[in-house]
Amino acid sequence: MTAYIIRRLLATIPVMIVVALFVFLLLHLTPGDPAAVIAGDDASPAEIDGIRSKLGLDRPIWEQFVIYVLSLLRGDLGTSIFSNLPVTTLVMQRLEPSVVLALSTLVVAVLFAIPMGVLAAWKARSAIDRIVMGFSVLGFALPVFLVGYLLIYIFAIELRWLPVQGYRPLSQGVWETARSIILPAFALGMVYMALIARITRASMLEVLSEDYIRTAHAKGVAKKSVLLKHALKNAAVPIVTVIGIGLALLISGVVITETVFNIPGLGRLTVDAILKRDYPIIQGLIILFAGAKVLINLMIDISYSFFDPRIRY
Amino acid sequence: MHKLTDRLHRRLAVAVVAGALGLGALPALAQQPKTLKVAMHADVRTLDPFWTTQTIAGIHGLMVYDTLFSSDDKLEPKPQMVDTWTVSDDRKVYTFKLRDGLKFHDGSPVTSKDVVASMNRWGKRDGAGKQLMGFTESLTAKDDKTFVWSLTEPYGLLIDILAKTGTSIPFVMREKEAMVDPFKQIEEVVGSGPFMFKRDEWVPGSKTVYTKFADYVPRKEPASGHAGGKVVKVDRVEFVWLSDPQTAQSALVAGEIDYLENPAVDFLPILEGTPGIKVEAHAAAGTMGILQLNHLHPPFNNVKARQAMLYIINNPDYLNTIAADKKLQTVCYSFFGCGVAMETDAGSEPYKGPKDYKKAEALFKEAGYNGEPITILHATDHQYINPANLVMIQQLRKAGFLKLDVQAMDWGSVVSRRAKKEAPAQGGWNIFITGTTVLTSSSPVTHTSIGMGCEKAWFGWPCDAKFEELRKEWAFAPSIEKRKELAVALSKRAYEQVPYISFAQWRNPVAYRSDKISGVLSVPSVPPMWNIEKK
């Protein structure tokens, strides 16, 4: 297993190099110019050229790439063109809200979706199954922003139970953080609930039709035990895969939820940087996201052997 | 029984402790700082108000830095850091004296050297500043409090420009920061304004925090616009960046923010109908659309084609799309904005009259147009530029004889692409749409996009020596009457040359919790946070 993990970690190096090259080229080939954004609407072309020169954007692309790679090797993700702050500082400012939102969403989704999926599979083709699947379809169909606005209207404006927007850091107390994250976690969690519930149901239905389940029933094992110990554990591999992919997606940015609830997360940082062509931020974030995805995939792969002892690396 | 009494004792003890904690917390609550929560139109991402001309950088600047002169609510210049000043008989030498008690946030006094260095830095970046510096013979510090501004000619706008608001406001920095190359950002934010910037709480893209500068000495006059005494009545101001208009509106309704600088027009009826919320706008708080034509390439390198556009473009259509509320609309045909001193629609007859596609087609033919594609840079991600583009495209199609090449892109791409002088087929362009504020347009000097200085002009590069001569003459005019007269001549010439087509004028109100705050100052742009009291 250790050898496998080391092998997989080493394999990330070429992946990251390709990502770095791809991101750099893609950004510099895309139309857009941070100098023009900085200069503003009233600037003359000569002023824009002046700013471009100061930012080093008038140098040949290969030279800019070499500078970029050398900085990366020193662990320096660069400095934001606009705020003049190191990209690492900006990322650290945004990490907590993003991680808290991602984990809260997954907790909400898993807590609701897995029981729903198990129940739907157990009572397949019953009214309960249809209700669960109906909810699933709704979860997929309703855009996150709409769910977000509805939740804000009901719980923040009408009932005044929770805040409309903003994130309270953990340093202000867990309850304050929880209050600020409940609505976004539920709004965003709807889609993941729908996804995980469907996968759980499908996976459980497959397992429940296996011979060993029939044998367990025949031996008189309690229904609860059959469902949770025999079936759910064996159905877990695809469910864990979906949860893992969900976590990777959530950390790398849920822009709409962050925008609607004004959560200062990594997603908004990315989109704002793209709109303003703040190249160092975009490059730094994509490298980080790529690294995070590789690591999460590795963790998912390792977890398979826990749920299915037949899987060995 | 014992257990029961034990439990009761324990509960009693807990209650006593909790009560003590609660009582202890009371003084703490009483000392809670008064915090004003504000959502501005953009996020403070750049701390150097000279480095970029974005309005939000000016808003940040107004919090932290002070100005020599300021505009009051009637947009008239009034002294701010300046105490007294004299003008020589030939109107070429201005001697200014700074008022007492001016101090930077680090405790050091504001001196004339700081002023001179700041004005030099600002004058390298701002359009009006550059023009002023072009007429400057020398700018020197006479002593710690006195500085002398000598002009090569009796340029009449010196005070007006120093009191300018909107973008690129001439703030006074410490000499140390003012000596930094204006094309590089300053590192430290130490001003002498009424608020101090809290760098440790700054989260770009989310929140910017300012605290009251206790040593600030306000002027004695009552606050009016940006002028008068800057008396700070709260302890902290937090700029919260709410990029989603719906969320911003909800946050104001729920009372989570006190002030919303740019409520989306669609939400204004909701805000107006919410008790405790006030929606108001300064008379000059407006935006005007600019339909920019590229004068370098066919067909708009020919004046006939530009004039032809006036017979196609229907001004009121834009207003109904951008700001449907009639209260916000002004059908304006003045290049210098409506409701301002320089308002004039002289020469606008072809534009104001009924649309005449046949006349337009004939003019395009005279210009040599033969069905070549007209490249339009269509920004699809902008609140009002996108609908304005859709209206314009429809109007041009309706004319029936123009071939359009509409290229959809984000605003960032338009900003980059519009600087290209190449022909449209080689990555250039023919038309793009943007906007400007009524405030900027109200003076032919600050109105950058109307300039026709050829290579030095704004994107589109209009070129007309006669217009530039009139513009210069306006800047030297000794009286407002003479300026108005020249504005008429400028307008006539602009309608002949058509540097761009101005469409619509709509008001941009602000909204705030009148049940929670009072003393909001009325300004057309760059809202000040002093004078506001929180209940």
Side-chain angles (χ1 to χ4, degrees):
Chain A
M1 176 72 93
T2 316
Y4 171 75
I5 294 171
I6 293 170
R7 225 170 34 244
R8 284 284 300 267
L9 286 175
L10 286 174
T12 59
I13 296 169
V15 172
M16 300 305 280
I17 292 171
V18 171
V19 169
L21 180 66
F22 185 71
V23 170
F24 183 87
L25 288 177
L26 196 69
L27 276 181
H28 285 77
L29 295 175
T30 309
D33 183 358
V37 179
I38 292 162
D41 252 14
D42 295 336
S44 68
E47 279 176 324
I48 295 173
D49 286 343
I51 296 168
R52 197 179 290 124
S53 164
K54 294 284 174 193
L55 294 174
L57 297 171
D58 58 343
R59 292 179 185 167
I61 283 196
W62 66 266
E63 200 180 319
Q64 292 184 52
F65 184 69
V66 170
I67 294 169
Y68 165 58
V69 170
L70 289 175
S71 305
L72 270 186
L73 290 175
R74 287 196 304 271
D76 176 9
L77 291 177
T79 303
S80 159
I81 291 173
F82 288 86
S83 66
N84 218 13
L85 288 176
V87 174
T88 42
T89 305
L90 292 167
V91 169
M92 291 316 289
Q93 285 176 339
R94 308 300 187 102
L95 204 57
E96 186 194 304
S98 278
V99 170
V100 170
L101 177 60
L103 292 179
S104 314
T105 304
L106 272 190
V107 167
V108 166
V110 168
L111 279 180
F112 284 88
I114 291 186
M116 276 160 52
V118 170
L119 200 65
W122 182 36
K123 301 279 181 192
R125 282 173 279 284
S126 70
I128 292 176
D129 184 20
R130 289 200 177 92
I131 290 169
V132 170
M133 286 306 99
F135 171 80
S136 255
V137 171
L138 206 65
F140 275 123
L142 281 178
V144 175
F145 73 88
L146 188 65
V147 178
Y149 291 148
L150 279 173
L151 292 176
I152 287 174
Y153 182 71
I154 297 167
F155 294 101
I157 293 181
E158 286 300 314
L159 299 171
R160 306 262 166 159
W161 289 352
L162 296 163
V164 171
Q165 51 81 38
Y167 172 78
R168 309 282 180 279
L170 287 164
S171 58
Q172 287 183 15
V174 176
W175 172 235
E176 279 299 306
T177 307
R179 263 173 57 80
S180 68
I181 215 76
I182 289 173
L183 292 185
F186 269 91
L188 187 57
M190 281 279 282
V191 184
Y192 289 93
M193 264 186 242
L195 180 68
I196 297 169
R198 283 187 81 96
I199 295 288
T200 307
R201 179 183 177 273
S203 192
M204 283 289 285
L205 278 178
E206 201 182 321
V207 173
L208 285 173
S209 64
E210 295 283 338
D211 290 345
Y212 67 87
I213 297 290
R214 203 177 308 124
T215 309
H217 281 304
K219 277 165 70 183
V221 179
K223 274 184 181 173
K224 187 179 154 193
S225 189
V226 172
L227 270 179
L228 301 181
K229 283 189 182 165
H230 294 257
L232 185 58
K233 195 174 174 192
N234 282 297
V237 170
I239 301 170
V240 168
T241 309
V242 168
I243 293 172
I245 293 169
L247 181 65
L249 286 172
L250 285 167
I251 286 181
S252 59
V254 279
V255 182
I256 294 169
T257 313
E258 286 178 4
T259 305
V260 167
F261 291 98
N262 190 32
I263 306 283
L266 293 169
R268 261 180 61 190
L269 182 66
T270 315
V271 171
D272 289 348
I274 291 169
L275 290 174
K276 290 205 178 275
R277 307 293 193 269
D278 200 335
Y279 295 147
I281 297 185
I282 308 170
Q283 286 164 179
L285 283 172
I286 293 178
I287 294 280
L288 284 178
F289 293 156
K293 289 208 171 169
V294 168
L295 283 179
I296 288 169
N297 280 340
L298 179 60
M299 280 157 62
I300 295 168
D301 288 352
I302 293 167
S303 75
Y304 290 162
S305 63
F306 168 76
F307 293 108
D308 189 346
R310 289 168 301 180
I311 298 173
R312 284 279 170 268
Y313 298 109
Chain B
M1 188 67 187
H2 252 304
K3 275 186 178 172
L4 190 65
T5 42
D6 271 2
R7 234 178 275 159
L8 278 172
H9 280 148
R10 226 175 290 150
R11 281 184 188 172
L12 195 63
V14 168
V16 168
V17 171
L21 283 173
L23 286 173
L26 278 178
L29 278 174
Q31 287 161 11
Q32 284 265 315
K34 279 193 174 181
T35 304
L36 191 64
K37 295 204 170 184
V38 177
M40 290 293 180
H41 73 279
D43 168 49
V44 178
R45 264 160 227 264
T46 304
L47 303 176
D48 187 341
F50 297 164
W51 186 71
T52 175
T53 56
Q54 291 168 351
T55 308
I56 189 67
I59 292 175
H60 159 77
L62 196 72
M63 298 291 284
V64 179
Y65 301 101
D66 213 347
T67 52
L68 295 170
F69 286 82
S70 299
S71 299
D72 67 6
D73 61 352
K74 293 183 183 70
L75 299 180
E76 283 169 14
K78 301 282 175 207
Q80 186 54 257
M81 294 172 84
V82 164
D83 185 15
T84 54
W85 75 100
T86 57
V87 187
S88 65
D89 291 341
D90 61 359
R91 293 169 57 230
K92 285 188 182 171
V93 182
Y94 288 70
T95 306
F96 299 97
K97 192 162 183 263
L98 296 173
R99 65 187 171 93
D100 292 332
L102 299 177
K103 236 189 242 181
F104 284 111
H105 300 157
D106 62 356
S108 61
V110 179
T111 67
S112 308
K113 279 186 180 172
D114 300 306
V115 174
V116 170
S118 299
M119 293 305 106
N120 280 324
R121 188 167 190 263
W122 161 79
K124 289 190 178 93
R125 291 303 304 270
D126 178 50
K130 277 188 276 190
Q131 196 188 72
L132 174 60
M133 287 302 173
F135 296 115
T136 296
E137 190 177 85
S138 66
L139 173 58
T140 49
K142 198 172 162 191
D143 58 43
D144 274 358
K145 282 193 167 183
T146 316
F147 62 99
V148 181
W149 204 313
S150 302
L151 304 171
T152 53
E153 294 176 64
Y155 184 71
L157 293 175
L158 175 65
I159 307 285
D160 299 71
I161 289 177
L162 293 180
K164 86 191 273 273
T165 178
T167 57
S168 281
I169 297 171
F171 297 114
V172 174
M173 300 177 165
R174 291 188 303 185
E175 189 184 20
K176 183 184 165 193
E177 279 85 37
M179 295 305 277
V180 173
D181 181 340
F183 289 95
K184 276 189 175 172
Q185 285 202 62
I186 55 168
E187 300 281 336
E188 284 181 88
V189 182
V190 181
S192 64
F195 293 95
M196 293 190 292
F197 171 63
K198 289 274 288 171
R199 186 180 277 274
D200 58 329
E201 293 191 49
W202 181 41
V203 182
S206 176
K207 193 166 85 169
T208 312
V209 179
Y210 304 90
T211 52
K212 177 182 178 173
F213 176 39
D215 286 349
Y216 183 79
V217 182
R219 292 188 70 89
K220 298 280 180 275
E221 300 92 329
S224 166
H226 287 156
K230 297 181 178 181
V231 180
V232 176
K233 297 176 179 172
V234 290
D235 302 301
R236 273 165 75 89
V237 178
E238 290 182 10
F239 287 0
V240 188
W241 170 225
L242 294 168
S243 58
D244 184 60
Q246 168 81 56
T247 307
Q249 180 258 133
S250 300
L252 187 70
V253 170
E256 288 177 23
I257 55 168
D258 303 305
Y259 183 101
L260 178 58
E261 192 203 1
N262 70 327
V265 285
D266 294 345
F267 298 132
L268 288 176
I270 298 173
L271 293 175
E272 283 165 342
T274 306
I277 290 182
K278 193 168 183 181
V279 177
E280 63 182 17
H282 186 277
T287 304
M288 295 171 74
I290 288 180
L291 194 159
Q292 188 64 52
L293 306 169
N294 191 339
H295 294 229
L296 296 183
H297 302 288
F300 301 119
N301 60 347
N302 189 306
V303 69
K304 298 277 180 196
R306 301 199 296 273
Q307 288 167 350
M309 291 289 279
L310 298 173
Y311 293 97
I312 298 173
I313 300 300
N314 189 34
N315 194 342
D317 292 351
Y318 294 86
L319 276 173
N320 293 331
T321 315
I322 296 167
D325 187 343
K326 299 278 178 206
K327 290 198 299 286
L328 303 174
Q329 299 182 353
T330 309
V331 182
C332 183
Y333 291 90
S334 166
F335 277 104
F336 307 118
C338 291
V340 292
M342 295 302 133
E343 176 182 345
T344 168
D345 61 358
S348 66
E349 293 74 20
Y351 191 24
K352 269 172 119 174
K355 298 301 109 182
D356 187 343
Y357 299 141
K358 282 195 172 155
K359 172 97 175 160
E361 190 172 7
L363 283 166
F364 261 103
K365 277 227 167 92
E366 279 182 59
Y369 180 70
N370 204 19
E372 295 84 2
I374 291 173
T375 303
I376 297 167
L377 307 184
H378 178 178
T380 54
D381 61 338
H382 197 287
Q383 194 185 359
Y384 69 83
I385 292 177
N386 179 42
N389 264 296
L390 295 172
V391 173
M392 176 191 68
I393 291 162
Q394 187 55 31
Q395 289 177 346
L396 296 179
R397 284 194 176 135
K398 207 172 153 193
F401 61 91
L402 295 167
K403 190 177 172 191
L404 306 182
D405 171 23
V406 179
Q407 300 190 11
M409 57 190 75
D410 70 339
W411 176 243
S413 299
V414 174
V415 163
S416 158
R417 178 106 174 250
R418 70 183 180 181
K420 288 187 183 297
K421 288 184 175 175
E422 290 88 348
Q426 275 86 52
W429 55 277
N430 291 115
I431 299 176
F432 76 87
I433 283 182
T434 184
T436 185
T437 62
V438 176
L439 192 65
T440 304
S441 317
S442 61
S443 152
V445 171
T446 56
H447 191 2
T448 321
S449 32
I450 205 169
M452 299 201 218
C454 312
E455 287 294 303
K456 286 183 185 167
W458 204 63
F459 311 101
W461 304 279
C463 193
D464 185 51
K466 188 178 168 191
F467 186 85
E468 286 302 287
E469 197 50 49
L470 281 168
R471 229 174 139 211
K472 191 177 163 189
E473 210 180 311
W474 186 91
F476 284 88
S479 65
I480 189 85
E481 287 70 30
K482 181 68 185 163
R483 281 186 198 159
K484 281 182 180 174
E485 198 185 307
L486 284 163
V488 170
L490 279 162
S491 178
K492 280 183 182 163
R493 186 67 184 166
Y495 271 111
E496 279 165 27
Q497 290 298 311
V498 199
Y500 70 89
I501 297 168
S502 173
F503 63 86
Q505 178 177 317
W506 61 100
R507 292 173 90 190
N508 305 115
V510 299
Y512 59 89
R513 297 284 332 190
S514 53
D515 56 349
K516 286 186 168 183
I517 61 171
S518 58
V520 174
L521 294 165
S522 180
V523 288
S525 177
V526 192
M529 292 296 116
W530 57 83
N531 204 53
I532 299 179
E533 200 159 1
K534 189 159 181 179
K535 289 166 196 166

